[in-house]
Amino acid sequence: MNALLVYAHPNHASLNHSFLEAVQAGIKANPVISKTEIIDLYEEDFKPALVFHEKKRRRDMHTDPDFALYREKVNQADLLVFIYPIFWGRPPAMLLGFIDQVFAANFAYRHDGLLPEGLLKGKQAVCVSTMKGPSLYSRFYLRNAHKILMERALFHFVGIRKVKIFEFGGMERKDGKQKKYLSRTKAFFSKLAK
């Protein structure tokens, strides 16, 4: 199994980077996963803003050479892992811009008839996200908006049905939860199977 990790946090001394390291450690211990690649969106200076004009059209995004390498990495991956903080109840703009531009029509999905057809079938996806506020806030007050956005509006739309969403809340408290969640993340990836 090939894994692609998409990391979307600007600080390598952050808790999110610790989660990236926990994911990597779990994957390293997993004999099923043979190859791992990382896209660090901030380190790569990814430009999240959509740009359309007479030479760069939305309908041609699936062939845009600026994103060819990213599309190739997504195609080669059996497992897509997204690691990011939750800002205002949703992933950061950097990650959403990556999704907008890479998961384009005629690459990630096709819309020929009444219903779209996902073109990334057979892959699985995992989101590892952190937030300052409690998980209950996201779950109840925001009515799972983040989970619905990632699981249904993105992954199910492009044909990915095997999805796991981790929302680790209360991450700025110093009560030992961080270590517990890091350990849980590492264990999850060390046992993950196809």
Side-chain angles (χ1 to χ4, degrees), residues 32-160:
V32 174
I33 301 173
S34 55
K35 181 181 174 189
T36 305
E37 288 207 57
I38 299 172
I39 298 172
D40 184 333
L41 295 174
Y42 285 93
E43 194 170 273
E44 293 186 18
D45 197 25
F46 185 84
K47 305 291 185 240
L50 289 170
V51 176
F52 299 129
H53 45 67
E54 61 280 348
K55 291 182 183 175
K56 196 169 180 121
R57 297 178 182 203
R58 183 171 183 205
R59 68 174 167 249
D60 300 327
M61 282 176 58
H62 69 289
T63 60
D64 189 324
D66 292 342
F67 308 110
L69 182 60
Y70 297 120
R71 289 191 304 270
E72 182 182 329
K73 288 180 180 191
V74 168
N75 264 337
Q76 291 174 355
D78 304 296
L79 170 65
L80 301 170
V81 182
F82 297 86
I83 303 155
Y84 55 90
I86 295 176
F87 297 146
W88 297 107
R90 50 116 182 110
M94 178 66 88
L95 180 58
L96 293 176
F98 174 83
I99 291 165
D100 286 346
Q101 295 176 88
V102 176
F103 288 71
N106 298 314
F107 167 70
Y109 67 95
R110 182 176 25 236
H111 215 168
D112 292 333
L114 181 63
L115 296 174
E117 175 192 359
L119 300 177
L120 300 179
K121 294 179 182 112
K123 298 182 186 301
Q124 57 182 306
V126 180
C127 294
V128 179
S129 59
T130 61
M131 64 185 115
K132 180 179 177 180
S135 297
L136 292 176
Y137 176 79
S138 176
R139 198 168 299 134
F140 295 108
Y141 187 72
L142 298 179
R143 298 186 180 130
N144 277 327
H146 164 247
K147 187 174 181 179
I148 290 168
L149 169 71
M150 297 305 284
E151 185 172 19
R152 294 186 200 163
L154 171 61
F155 298 128
H156 288 183
F157 193 85
V158 300
I160 300 172

Side-chain angles (χ1 to χ4, degrees), residues 157-177:
F157 193 85
V158 300
I160 300 172
R161 296 287 179 217
K162 198 169 184 180
V163 179
K164 175 72 176 167
I165 308 279
F166 289 104
E167 283 184 341
F168 297 123
M171 290 291 90
E172 291 192 3
R173 293 192 328 227
K174 305 293 182 202
D175 59 2
K177 278 191 177 180

Side-chain angles (χ1 to χ4, degrees), residues 3-27:
L4 176 63
L5 314 184
V6 181
Y7 175 67
H9 196 287
N11 184 358
H12 280 209
S14 69
L15 178 61
N16 268 244
H17 201 272
S18 296
F19 275 99
L20 172 63
E21 291 169 348
V23 170
Q24 288 176 290
I27 285 174

